[in-house]
Amino acid sequence: MLVDFSAPVAASPAEAEAAAVSAEQVGYDGFGAAETKHDVFTTLALVARATERITLQSGIAVAFARNPMTVAVLANDLQLISEGRFRLGLGSQVKPHIERRFAMPWSRPAARMEEFVAAIRAIWHAWATGERLLFRGEFYKHTLMTEFFDPGPNPHGNPPVELAAVGERMTAVAGRVADGLLVHPLTSVAYLTERILPTVREARGGGLDDFTLGLSAMV
């Protein structure tokens, strides 16, 4: 088990940076930043430059406020800046925020998220291998990547993708396409053991090997 520290949800980028430095000094394993009043990727770029050891997690970045290409670029850059310490935590948010705050489309969130993650991985694969980018899905299509815009393979590899989920459909998506699941802070022990874990195991064919569960503790 690893123990991370999270910045207060309303912390400014500079405040989060200071909190991460302190967390690293006292021995935490990782640091998470939320996306509420400030951009989580900007915050973690500061944190990456100010720390050396702890892992860094977007907890969460709002996926549907963006598209797979923008997220692939941002995550790739943070993996470079942090020298391999970044974990991409994604979440869907809820329909009113996506449609009315971000003016972005909302439909079938579990299916859309599964395709979103698959598209990110397809983009990373194209950069890593030099193969043609050819992703065609129901919600996203990425079919153009020229050398001018291709950053090439990341020397630190691709960051793990961790997906926030509450309901069984999104939980199953996390089990199928993500490297970990971010459990909602208000989850009970019973819901975790009776609903979440069985759903993840079924989606992964029975096991939790190489799969991370992130659970928040309100202290």
Side-chain angles (χ1 to χ4, degrees), residues 168 187-201:
E168 291 186 14
T187 299
S188 68
V189 173
Y191 192 80
L192 177 66
T193 57
E194 297 172 12
R195 303 290 289 277
I196 292 177
L197 291 179
T199 301
V200 172
R201 287 193 176 98

Side-chain angles (χ1 to χ4, degrees), residues 59-127:
I60 51 100
V62 181
F64 298 158
R66 303 174 171 90
N67 62 60
M69 181 62 72
T70 58
V71 173
V73 171
L74 288 164
N76 184 70
D77 284 348
L78 268 173
Q79 184 76 332
L80 284 170
I81 296 169
S82 68
E83 298 182 334
R85 293 182 288 132
F86 179 57
R87 293 144 52 205
L88 176 60
L90 292 175
S92 64
Q93 244 304 343
V94 295
K95 183 178 180 179
H97 281 277
I98 298 303
E99 290 187 336
R100 295 168 52 198
R101 182 157 67 101
F102 294 109
M104 294 290 279
W106 174 278
S107 64
R108 299 171 56 208
R112 180 180 288 271
M113 184 65 80
E114 185 160 0
E115 188 174 295
F116 195 102
V117 175
I120 290 175
R121 295 196 188 280
I123 294 165
W124 286 343
H125 178 78
W127 292 345

Side-chain angles (χ1 to χ4, degrees), residues 5-91:
F5 182 82
S6 294
V9 293
S12 70
E15 290 169 338
E17 179 186 18
V21 170
S22 177
E24 183 172 70
Q25 290 174 345
V26 300
Y28 280 97
D29 298 299
F31 180 83
E35 185 163 66
T36 53
K37 300 178 184 293
H38 302 281
D39 179 77
V40 69
F41 294 105
T42 302
T43 296
L44 290 177
L46 293 179
V47 171
R49 293 299 299 270
T51 57
E52 297 179 354
R53 177 187 55 80
I54 57 175
T55 61
L56 316 175
Q57 180 197 65
S58 55
I60 51 100
V62 181
F64 298 158
R66 303 174 171 90
N67 62 60
M69 181 62 72
T70 58
V71 173
V73 171
L74 288 164
N76 184 70
D77 284 348
L78 268 173
Q79 184 76 332
L80 284 170
I81 296 169
S82 68
E83 298 182 334
R85 293 182 288 132
F86 179 57
R87 293 144 52 205
L88 176 60
L90 292 175

